[in-house]
């Protein structure tokens, strides 16, 4: 027993020792961490701590000049030029960078400040707080290998601090890097109708005509433009942006330093912009709305006056009120019987759901009107109360809808003009520009401007040789291989019946929404359906006559189709064969236009003259030009077309005339020639074999 007690005491003693050791180790670790933290703080001490809210002004060197920005209320201004468009966010960033700056190293007892280029600092930052305290920071040499920079504080170069070279990077740049730049005007390319470029090297105008097709005008001539190229030019406007801000208030006598007194080029764009309607329009609409409300109020007042006059002018009615009150049951019964027996009254009741009930009731007999007046005074007729509630709800709903519509601003499209004056080349690889006679000068990259500049009208020419839809073709005269051919186009119109419905079906479709009460009551539906069918724009003359016939029980809609047929020199021509050729003809596209004078000693291999259904003519001549091209000449314009493409056109026309089939038959239908040829080939082969043996 004594031995067990000794062991227990020993175990407890060991546990106490271990616990003490654990506590000791934990305390040591905590002290060591605190020491390390303190050592780290001593190694990277905070040398600058200025709260942003305390800064009154900040001065530093920009473009080798000292510039001061100071607080004016809640905004920063340039102290010597309050009109300068200061970028508020940029200055806020500068100030916030001074909230806490720590030194990565501290060099004390420095004797030679020039060793760190602090005798001629690269920049000097002076910060003044609201309480008048000033902090001066001089920026010296940068060490590129360590990405560090040397600075001193308050011009005390005996102590030099080493900080990251990115600490004061936000103070770098030109003056206009600290200015709030404008934004290039937003242009919706789909609304662009005209682009004019007037430059020293070239001038041209790309413009939409009344049919929304692009045309190109240059050198005094206007012709159709390539739609894709013109659209691409307009689309470029949406990506144009300013590259840099140069001058926010350029005087007229300063334009010459940017080459804008005599611009290198001027780009003018006509487009449209969606804007809210002017207040005058809103006021007019408000006045119109007031007039409508006044008219409605006038109608109600008039109805009230009628009711009052009827009440005031019927003394006998007031005197016999008791007897009439006692007889109200019979009046109600009469009213009910009249309602049940009269279909027109049902219509009036339905109308009363959305209009003033008194106006409807005044259309009835005087006796009915008197009963209605009494019903209002005594609240006997429940239908009038329900009608009044529904009317009020309807008017309230309409008022809410009107209010919602009024709350949404109405917009309209207005014409706009964008004028870009382009000046000299700038140091950033762009050109100086001035937009809409603004005093602000910017630069735009030459890549953006080259889309417009340096172009000629030839760059926008449409290279389609000759296009005329077959639907508009009347005759096609072709001279090929010295032979003349004429293709005539005939048109046959046919009508295809698509839908045949009874009058009852038409009623359901045509009258459900607009005349729901008529459909419910079955009044005059057939007559209205007949009227609707007669006025339908899809009906032909025959269909209209059938509809007008009172005995007709069905309405028919039809579509008109036109079938084209062709003859070649008076003989029927296969439509597929001809359209294959014609599609190649009208879709012929050149690879380029020849601007030099074209002369040929040979006759054209093919001449095609189009005559449309209005009598207009267009002629195209195809000449062999060189080994690569055919020259397609039309109206003195010369298109150079790939030679293989034209050859395919010729082959397609030979299929039209039948020459291709005849040539193929001639090659295969002479048996004697083929036989002699085969024999000759056989004899030659045998002779060759004998010689080899």
């Amino acid at each position: 027993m004594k031995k067990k007690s000794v062991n227990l005491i020993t175990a407890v003693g060991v546990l106490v020792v271990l616990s003490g050791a654990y506590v000791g180790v934990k305390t040591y670790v905590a002290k060591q961490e605190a020491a390390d933290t303190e050592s780290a703080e001593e190694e990277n001490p905070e040398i600058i701590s200025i709260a942003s809210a305390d800064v009154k002004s900040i001065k530093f060197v920009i473009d080798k000049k000292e510039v001061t920005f100071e607080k004016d209320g809640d905004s920063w201004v340039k102290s010597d030029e309050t009109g300068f468009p200061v970028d508020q966010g940029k200055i806020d960033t500068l100030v916030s960078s001074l909230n806490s700056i720590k030194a990565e190293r501290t060099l004390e007892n420095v004797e030679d400040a020039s060793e760190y280029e602090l005798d001629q600092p690269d920049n000097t930052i002076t910060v003044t707080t609201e309480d008048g305290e000033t902090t001066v920071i001089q920026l010296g040499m940068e060490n590129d290998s360590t990405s560090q920079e040397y600075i001193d504080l308050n011009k005390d170069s005996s102590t030099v601090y080493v900080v990251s070279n990115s600490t004061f990077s936000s103070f770098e740049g030109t003056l206009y890097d600290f200015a709030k730049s404008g934004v290039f005007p937003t242009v919706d390319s789909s609304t662009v109708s005209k682009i004019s470029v007037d430059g020293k090297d070239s001038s041209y105008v790309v413009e939409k005509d009344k049919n929304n097709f692009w045309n190109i005008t240059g050198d005094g001539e206007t012709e159709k433009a390539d739609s894709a190229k013109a659209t691409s030019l307009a689309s470029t406007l949406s990506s144009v942006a300013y590259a840099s801000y140069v001058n926010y208030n350029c005087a007229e006598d300063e334009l010459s330093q940017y080459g804008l007194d005599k611009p290198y080029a001027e780009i003018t764009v006509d487009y449209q912009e969606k804007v809210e309607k002017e207040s005058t329009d809103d006021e007019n609409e408000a006045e119109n709305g007031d007039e409508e409300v006044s008219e409605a109020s006038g109608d109600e007042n008039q109805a009230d006056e009628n009711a009052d006059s009827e009440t005031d002018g019927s003394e006998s009615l007031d005197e016999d009120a008791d007897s009439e009150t006692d007889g109200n049951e019979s009046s109600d019964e009469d009213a009910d019987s009249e309602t049940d027996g009269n279909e027109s009254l049902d219509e009036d009741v339905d109308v009363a759901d959305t209009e003033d009930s008194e106006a409807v009731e005044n259309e009835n007999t005087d006796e009915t009107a008197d009963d209605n007046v009494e019903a209002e005074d005594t609240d006997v007729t429940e239908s009038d109360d329900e009608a009044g509630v529904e009317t009020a709800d309807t008017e309230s709903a309409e008022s809410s809808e009107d209010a919602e519509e009024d709350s949404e601003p109405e917009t309209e499209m207005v014409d706009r003009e964008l004028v870009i004056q382009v000046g000299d080349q700038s140091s950033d690889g762009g050109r100086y520009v001035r937009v809409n006679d603004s005093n602000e000068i910017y630069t735009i990259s030459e890549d953006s401007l080259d889309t417009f500049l340096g172009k000629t009208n030839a760059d926008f020419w449409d290279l389609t040789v000759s296009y005329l839809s077959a639907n508009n073709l009347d005759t096609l005269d072709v001279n090929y291989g010295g032979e003349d051919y004429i293709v005539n186009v005939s048109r046959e119109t046919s009508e295809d019946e698509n839908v045949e419905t009874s009058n009852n079906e038409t009623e359901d479709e045509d009258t459900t929404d607009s005349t729901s009460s008529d459909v419910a009551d079955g009044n005059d539906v057939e007559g209205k359906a007949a009227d609707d069918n007669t006025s339908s724009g899809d009906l032909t003359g025959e269909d209209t006559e059938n509809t007008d016939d009172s005995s007709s029980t069905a309405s028919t809609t039809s579509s008109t189709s036109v079938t084209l047929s062709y003859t070649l020199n008076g003989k029927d021509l296969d439509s597929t064969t001809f359209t294959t050729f014609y599609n190649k003809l009208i879709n012929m596209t050149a690879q380029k236009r020849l601007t030099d004078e074209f002369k040929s000693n040979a006759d054209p291999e093919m001449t095609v003259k189009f005559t449309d259904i209005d009598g207009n003519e267009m002629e195209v001549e195809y000449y062999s030009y060189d080994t690569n091209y055919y020259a397609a000449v039309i109206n003195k314009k010369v298109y150079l077309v790939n030679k293989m493409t034209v050859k395919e056109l010729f082959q397609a026309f030979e299929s039209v005339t039948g020459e291709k089939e005849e040539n193929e038959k001639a090659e295969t239908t002479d048996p004697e020639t083929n036989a002699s040829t085969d024999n000759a080939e056989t004899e030659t082969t045998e002779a060759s074999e004998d010689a080899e043996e």
Side-chain angles (χ1 to χ4, degrees), residues 264-420:
Y264 170 74
E266 186 169 281
I267 305 170
T268 304
V269 181
D270 293 347
Y271 66 103
Q272 286 190 319
E273 183 181 14
K274 181 185 291 186
V275 299
E276 291 186 9
K277 283 190 176 181
E278 296 180 358
S279 58
T280 53
D281 294 337
D282 296 336
E283 291 173 359
N284 291 335
E285 291 176 1
E287 291 175 1
N288 293 335
D290 292 338
E291 291 175 2
E292 292 175 359
V293 172
S294 299
E295 291 176 0
S297 300
D299 293 339
E300 293 177 357
N301 293 334
Q302 183 64 38
D304 293 340
E305 291 176 0
N306 292 337
D308 292 340
S309 62
E310 290 172 359
T311 303
D312 295 338
S314 303
E315 294 180 357
S316 60
L317 182 62
D318 294 336
E319 291 175 356
D320 297 336
D322 294 337
S323 61
E324 291 181 353
T325 301
D326 295 336
N328 278 336
E329 295 180 358
S330 62
S331 299
D332 294 338
E333 293 175 357
D334 294 338
D336 293 338
S337 63
E338 291 176 1
T339 303
D340 296 335
N342 192 343
E343 292 179 352
S344 64
L345 184 58
D346 289 341
E347 294 178 1
D348 295 336
V349 173
D350 289 338
V351 174
D353 291 338
T354 56
E355 297 179 357
D356 193 300
S357 60
E358 294 180 2
V360 176
E361 291 166 355
N362 286 336
E363 295 176 1
N364 299 328
T365 62
D366 294 338
E367 181 180 355
T368 304
D370 293 339
D371 290 342
N372 290 334
V373 172
E374 289 180 340
E376 292 178 358
D377 294 338
T378 60
D379 296 329
V380 174
T381 306
E382 295 178 358
S383 61
D384 291 337
D385 293 337
E386 294 174 356
V389 172
E390 292 179 0
T391 302
D393 292 339
T394 303
E395 292 177 351
S396 176
E398 292 176 352
S399 300
S400 300
E401 292 176 358
D402 293 340
E404 290 178 0
E405 292 177 358
D406 293 340
S407 64
E408 296 179 1
E410 294 189 14
T411 59
E412 61 181 347
M413 300 298 291
V414 297
D415 294 333
R416 293 280 191 249
E417 184 180 70
L418 172 67
V419 180
I420 309 170

Side-chain angles (χ1 to χ4, degrees), residues 502-503 506 510 528-536 539 544 547 554-555:
S502 65
N503 285 340
T506 305
D510 295 343
K528 291 182 179 179
D531 293 339
D532 292 340
N533 291 334
T534 302
S535 62
S536 173
L539 296 179
T544 303
T547 304
S555 62

Side-chain angles (χ1 to χ4, degrees), residues 48-191:
I48 300 174
S49 179
I50 305 174
S52 299
D54 295 338
V55 178
K56 174 63 178 174
S57 67
I58 185 167
K59 178 174 65 175
F60 56 99
V61 177
I62 303 176
D63 297 334
K64 298 181 180 180
K65 295 180 181 179
E66 284 190 337
V67 177
T68 301
F69 297 99
E70 61 183 10
K71 263 294 181 62
D72 182 12
D74 294 330
S75 302
W76 292 100
V77 297
K78 191 168 177 282
S79 60
D80 61 340
E81 194 177 5
T82 57
F84 185 83
V86 177
D87 188 331
Q88 302 297 316
K90 199 71 175 287
I91 304 302
D92 286 339
T93 300
L94 298 181
V95 173
S96 62
S97 69
L98 304 174
N99 293 164
S100 178
I101 296 177
K102 294 182 178 181
E104 297 181 358
R105 280 195 303 150
T106 302
L107 307 176
E108 298 180 346
N109 302 319
V110 176
E111 296 181 357
D112 186 5
S114 64
E115 184 179 352
Y116 306 103
E117 297 182 1
L118 287 168
D119 57 331
Q120 295 180 343
D122 185 58
N123 203 340
T124 299
I125 303 170
T126 304
V127 184
T128 304
T129 57
E130 293 287 352
D131 57 8
E133 184 178 348
T134 301
T135 301
V136 180
I137 309 167
Q138 292 189 135
L139 310 183
M141 181 183 70
E142 286 190 23
N143 189 333
D144 294 333
S145 61
T146 62
S147 299
Q148 293 176 326
E149 186 175 18
Y150 299 94
I151 69 169
D152 66 20
L153 299 177
N154 298 322
K155 298 185 178 181
D156 180 9
S157 299
S158 62
T159 301
V160 176
Y161 301 97
V162 182
V163 298
S164 171
N165 62 359
S166 63
T167 304
F168 299 99
S169 60
S170 56
F171 289 84
E172 299 172 356
T174 65
L175 177 62
Y176 278 88
D177 288 328
F178 301 94
K180 182 67 175 178
S181 174
V183 179
F184 189 82
T186 301
V187 177
D188 183 354
S189 60
S190 65
T191 68

Side-chain angles (χ1 to χ4, degrees), residues 1-71:
M1 184 68 181
K2 183 178 180 180
K3 186 176 180 180
K4 290 182 178 180
S5 299
V6 171
N7 290 337
L8 181 60
I9 293 171
T10 301
V12 171
V14 172
L15 181 59
V16 171
V17 171
L18 292 175
S19 299
Y22 173 75
V23 172
V25 171
K26 186 175 181 180
T27 303
Y28 172 79
V29 171
K31 289 182 178 180
Q32 188 63 36
E33 290 177 352
D36 292 343
T37 302
E38 184 177 354
S39 176
E41 291 178 352
E42 290 178 357
E43 290 180 1
N44 298 290
E46 187 176 62
I47 58 176
I48 300 174
S49 179
I50 305 174
S52 299
D54 295 338
V55 178
K56 174 63 178 174
S57 67
I58 185 167
K59 178 174 65 175
F60 56 99
V61 177
I62 303 176
D63 297 334
K64 298 181 180 180
K65 295 180 181 179
E66 284 190 337
V67 177
T68 301
F69 297 99
E70 61 183 10
K71 263 294 181 62

Side-chain angles (χ1 to χ4, degrees), residues 605-652:
E605 293 189 21
M606 175 179 279
T607 301
V608 181
K609 184 174 73 172
F610 301 82
T611 304
D612 66 16
I613 56 179
D614 295 326
N616 301 312
E617 296 181 351
M618 175 175 59
E619 186 173 279
V620 188
E621 296 176 327
Y622 287 92
Y623 296 86
S624 179
Y625 184 73
D626 58 20
T627 57
N628 297 317
Y629 299 107
Y630 264 87
V633 182
I634 175 173
N635 295 330
K636 297 183 179 180
K637 298 173 185 175
V638 182
Y639 298 85
L640 297 183
V641 187
N642 183 280
K643 200 158 193 173
M644 292 303 298
T645 304
V646 179
K647 288 290 187 183
E648 291 176 0
L649 174 70
F650 293 167
Q651 291 175 1

